[in-house]
Amino acid sequence: MNARANFRYGRDFEVVQRLRPEPETAREVAAQQGIDDLEFEIFQHKAGMIALEGKETTMRLGASTAMRWGDVAFGIYTAQGDLAICATGIYHHAVLSQIPIKYIVKHWKDDPSVGLKEGDSFFYNDPFYGGVHNADMGLAIPVFADGELVCFIGAAVHTGECGGSEPGGMVNGARSRYDEGLLVTPIKIGEDFVLKEDILGMLANMTRDPRTMLLDIKARLAASRIAERRVKEIITEKGSDFFVGSLRRVLRITGEAARRKVSRLNDGIYRQPRFMDTTGPEDALLKINLAVEKRGDRIKLILRGSSPAISDRPINSYFQGIIGLAMVYFCGWFFHDLPANNGLLDAIEWEFDDNTLVSAGGDLPVSYAPATQVAFTQGMFMCGARMTYAIEPLRAVGCWYSGFAVTPYGGLNQWGDPVADITPEINATGGGGCPDGDGVDAAGAFFATMSDCGDVEATEADRPFLYLFRNFFNNSYGHGKFRGGAGVGFGAMVHGTPGLAVGGMGFGTRFPATPGIFGGRAAPTIFVQVVANGNMRQLLADGAELPHDMGALYGQDRVEAGERRLQHVSFAPQPLAEGDTIYVPVSGGAGYGDVLERDPALVIADLRRKLVTPWAARNVYRVAYDADTLRLDAEATRALRTDARHVRKARAKPYADFVREWSAKCPPAAVLRWYGRWPDPGAGSVAAATA
């Protein structure tokens, strides 16, 4: 075995660095000559509609929760693998899915045993190349014109089951990457426009939910073939030179526009440490240390001084996943007026320590990497709000809820079919408070802003749950001058199956997941309730009055009996039997601005909608009103707020005194088990658990 073969069979650390556009080839330079500006504008519109059709087709044909409700990234890539045209509800998959395509170009294009031919299709899910975790899977096809490779087309989506040691695509107890299921580097699964049944059989056999696995693969392929036909229509009409040149021109002008926009920002460094309260299996304090440096026409993400990577816990992230999640902010917020493609990365640089929580290496598990990555992104939003306020104050917003609270499960559904997936309510979080208004209630998922949580009836049709309620719950958001959008809480009973394994993934039970901005308050900490061996079926049969939202679950008149467990939102799968219930809060967005500046009329409106409690109205917002009529007492409200400001002033102390007192504080050693050095973890070595 020669050195080249050795490199091919191991991990390719070079290709994952190639997130920015590849250098222009002579072919691409020549192809851009003479492209008419008007024809180019028409091309951009047509190509965007092709990608959008591909995205919508993928959603309609797929079977997994994420695919049906919009966590889909569909793209057209250059022949070198750069993402040029994108339609997506989930920006990080779009940007990261270029890595597997560049891997294909590098390793398989000229390999005689694999090669690239018209009619081929490739599948991949190794998180080292996808950047996130094993449940995120993709498919790509090469497109040829007159024998020339002109582009790739592909779709990346979270499929809910990947064959790990626990069901539902996220392995709470993973001790290495070999516990996490499928690890497929880009592999050819189709030739001559036909999928290879032997490969499909292997993939189906390696997951708990073969039906969903195969339907999702076929949905990606069908959508890609439709887009391929549309691309060839453009080439037939305008020629391959026009098409190849236009794809490259999209990248070039996007990069130029991105650098111009960055140059408008004030130079400076914006810092935002982020903290997490779990390693996956247990509670612990972890730190993600982010600094954003803006100089000239470049933004640098500096992630030095984060907690060490953990050798046998699933909370680690690859650095490329962090860059992918940064694009959630850049594509959706800062560069909102530019096309979403990796030309934007011409304006972005990054700097990481090795072997930290946000730059794992080796065989470390990454099943819960999405939690770490969204914690980072919440810091990116906070830095971005301060960085952009001078030029776009209305886009300097609070963050959407970023603690996940997703429920993976696996077993048999009510029809006796194997099923393993996640619940869709992850796509019903509250939006962040804004400079000119409250955040949107149940806005979606900030990493998948055009996604949906679906209808309860659609979920109940083929998933073994009976919903008891799903709606907003009060105080589920960060308070502020403008509050965050309310989140959605749901209660569900295991139904139609003898038993089901149900777990949880997320953070924010011990430490708030979503801090506020510009004086706004954090979204509250949350937890999950499970009731086993209870009486819910009998209560339903009797027509009993049941709690109708999360806020009503914990009152004195609780009617549901059974073994009640209150749990961190991150917990290992546990068996739930027919009739057992689970209650999951999917929280709201961050608050924006001082609570004492909130218009009292807005507080009264939230009281009428039961989105704020009477306690919070009086003690947080300091609003006086008649409890029976909800009529505002403006004069008493002004007096309450004046007193509150005096109390604040009385607590004030010189900054040096505050720093001295604060620096003397330290959490207990057990809390800092994986934190690293306190208070600044530094690069450190990979942390190892001591059982």
Side-chain angles (χ1 to χ4, degrees):
M1 185 179 293
N2 59 35
R4 168 65 180 160
N6 262 324
F7 178 74
R8 175 182 295 170
Y9 296 139
R11 284 185 164 176
D12 187 341
F13 291 91
E14 184 273 335
V15 77
V16 298
Q17 300 284 343
R18 289 160 53 183
L19 290 164
R20 298 187 186 88
E22 299 293 308
E24 291 190 16
T25 65
R27 169 81 169 99
E28 290 172 326
V29 172
Q32 292 179 67
Q33 306 304 311
I35 294 178
D36 178 77
D37 289 346
L38 178 58
E39 291 294 332
F40 176 70
E41 291 296 326
I42 294 172
F43 165 81
Q44 283 188 290
H45 176 73
K46 282 186 176 180
M49 294 306 295
I50 290 170
L52 183 60
E53 182 184 20
K55 171 180 174 284
E56 296 294 325
T57 302
T58 308
M59 290 171 57
R60 280 156 177 73
L61 296 180
S64 65
T65 292
M67 190 170 284
R68 290 192 294 178
W69 307 129
D71 294 7
V72 176
F74 194 93
I76 303 173
Y77 304 77
T78 69
Q80 296 188 83
D82 290 313
L83 173 69
I85 305 295
C86 177
T88 182
I90 189 160
Y91 291 113
H92 59 281
H93 284 330
V95 174
L96 291 171
S97 60
Q98 66 180 313
I99 299 177
I101 296 174
K102 290 182 178 181
Y103 182 100
I104 292 168
V105 172
K106 178 177 178 178
H107 292 284
W108 303 143
K109 179 182 177 183
D110 299 318
D111 187 291
S113 69
V114 183
L116 287 181
K117 300 183 294 296
E118 189 159 20
D120 286 349
S121 50
F122 291 82
F123 172 84
Y124 48 85
N125 89 307
D126 187 337
F128 185 71
Y129 301 107
V132 186
H133 63 162
N134 305 54
D136 293 324
M137 306 180 188
L139 181 141
I141 63 171
V143 178
F144 291 82
D146 298 324
E148 178 195 10
L149 175 66
V150 293
C151 72
F152 288 85
I153 295 172
V157 194
H158 177 108
T159 289
E161 169 61 19
C162 58
S165 59
E166 297 170 8
M170 287 163 278
V171 182
N172 181 278
R175 307 300 291 265
S176 78
R177 67 186 179 110
Y178 305 106
D179 293 316
E180 297 179 319
L182 286 172
L183 280 170
V184 181
T185 55
I187 183 174
K188 186 181 289 190
I189 64 168
E191 292 181 306
D192 298 325
F193 299 96
V194 177
L195 288 170
K196 300 168 74 170
E197 288 297 324
D198 55 345
I199 301 295
L200 294 184
M202 179 190 71
L203 294 173
N205 188 55
M206 296 174 73
T207 64
R208 293 175 181 82
D209 190 346
R211 171 182 170 273
T212 295
M213 180 75 178
L214 296 187
L215 284 175
D216 277 8
I217 288 174
K218 292 178 179 180
R220 296 182 186 97
L221 179 58
S224 296
R225 291 295 177 208
I226 291 172
E228 179 185 29
R229 291 203 299 270
R230 304 286 188 252
V231 164
K232 289 189 173 182
E233 289 170 1
I234 293 178
I235 293 173
T236 298
E237 178 185 356
K238 305 297 295 183
S240 58
D241 284 354
F242 174 83
F243 180 80
V244 170
S246 294
L247 278 188
R248 170 52 69 172
R249 185 175 176 182
V250 168
L251 290 167
R252 179 171 55 79
I253 66 172
T254 300
E256 292 168 353
R259 292 193 299 274
R260 283 196 302 271
K261 184 161 188 177
V262 170
S263 68
R264 296 173 55 206
L265 297 171
N266 293 325
D267 285 356
I269 298 178
Y270 307 83
R271 295 182 173 87
Q272 185 60 57
R274 292 289 291 115
F275 296 93
M276 301 177 66
D277 61 2
T278 182
T279 68
E282 70 273 276
D283 300 355
L285 187 67
L286 302 171
K287 181 179 182 180
I288 300 169
N289 199 40
L290 170 66
V292 178
E293 181 180 16
K294 188 272 171 179
R295 294 281 182 260
D297 62 356
R298 296 293 193 278
I299 291 173
K300 179 185 284 189
L301 310 181
I302 303 171
L303 287 108
R304 293 194 176 277
S306 298
S307 290
I310 306 176
S311 63
D312 56 359
R313 295 294 186 270
I315 203 71
N316 307 290
S317 170
Y318 296 123
F319 92 89
Q320 52 270 38
I322 295 294
I323 301 304
L325 266 292
M327 298 313 291
V328 171
Y329 171 73
F330 285 114
C331 290
W333 272 263
F334 182 64
F335 294 127
H336 62 93
D337 48 356
L338 297 178
N341 61 58
N342 71 307
L344 299 174
L345 283 163
D346 270 345
I348 311 299
E349 300 172 346
W350 49 86
E351 187 177 299
F352 286 80
D353 288 329
D354 291 332
N355 295 320
T356 67
L357 192 66
V358 290
S359 60
D363 291 342
L364 274 60
V366 295
S367 280
Y368 276 28
T372 301
Q373 291 165 5
V374 300
F376 152 77
T377 312
Q378 214 276 343
M380 187 67 241
F381 269 74
M382 297 177 76
C383 289
R386 298 194 295 270
M387 183 171 61
T388 60
Y389 190 87
I391 66 167
E392 286 188 304
L394 291 182
R395 300 197 70 84
V397 301
C399 189
W400 297 23
Y401 174 68
S402 60
F404 271 115
V406 61
T407 310
Y409 58 87
L412 298 178
N413 70 5
Q414 61 269 48
W415 309 110
D417 296 324
V419 62
D421 211 330
I422 59 175
T423 54
E425 284 71 27
I426 186 177
N427 290 341
T429 70
C434 304
D436 57 350
D438 294 342
V440 177
D441 299 330
F446 82 89
F447 61 87
T449 50
M450 289 173 279
S451 59
D452 188 11
C453 64
D455 299 321
V456 164
E457 293 80 6
T459 301
E460 289 179 335
D462 63 352
R463 300 297 193 258
F465 296 109
L466 177 68
Y467 277 81
L468 305 173
F469 62 80
R470 189 178 78 175
N471 48 33
F472 301 138
F473 59 104
N474 53 34
N475 293 344
S476 62
Y477 46 79
H479 300 292
K481 176 181 180 180
F482 295 110
R483 64 167 174 81
V488 162
F490 72 94
M493 182 181 77
V494 176
H495 176 64
T497 184
L500 198 68
V502 181
M505 192 275 275
F507 63 102
T509 295
R510 300 281 189 179
F511 191 95
T514 313
I517 191 73
F518 299 142
R521 299 196 180 184
T525 54
I526 59 172
F527 57 90
V528 173
Q529 173 177 298
V530 172
V531 180
N533 301 315
N535 61 338
M536 181 54 70
R537 284 177 295 177
Q538 188 61 49
L539 292 172
L540 291 171
D542 294 343
E545 182 71 24
L546 298 174
H548 60 276
D549 59 32
M550 296 299 297
L553 275 179
Y554 305 102
Q556 298 300 315
D557 54 349
R558 201 166 55 236
V559 295
E560 184 178 11
E563 301 167 11
R564 190 167 72 129
R565 301 190 291 269
L566 306 180
Q567 304 178 160
H568 195 288
V569 292
S570 172
F571 62 95
Q574 52 194 248
L576 296 185
E578 167 85 32
D580 290 350
T581 57
I582 184 168
Y583 302 92
V584 182
V586 182
S587 200
Y592 182 105
D594 190 344
V595 292
L596 297 184
E597 295 180 5
R598 183 164 179 77
D599 185 342
L602 295 177
V603 178
I604 298 298
D606 283 343
L607 281 167
R608 296 185 188 280
R609 296 178 61 202
K610 295 182 170 31
L611 292 183
V612 68
T613 59
W615 185 93
R618 295 183 184 277
N619 295 281
V620 175
Y621 291 109
R622 301 292 181 172
V623 171
Y625 62 95
D626 184 278
D628 295 324
T629 65
L630 298 184
R631 184 184 296 276
L632 175 68
D633 186 333
E635 185 174 345
T637 296
R638 282 192 293 272
L640 287 173
R641 291 184 168 185
T642 298
D643 289 344
R645 290 186 174 96
H646 289 319
V647 170
R648 288 181 180 179
K649 292 177 181 179
R651 292 201 307 265
K653 62 183 65 176
Y655 181 68
D657 292 347
F658 166 77
V659 170
R660 183 173 57 255
E661 294 173 13
W662 184 259
S663 299
K665 298 177 183 293
C666 181
V671 175
L672 299 176
R673 186 179 181 188
W674 285 281
Y675 181 89
R677 296 187 301 269
W678 176 265
D680 299 315
S685 58
V686 177
T690 54

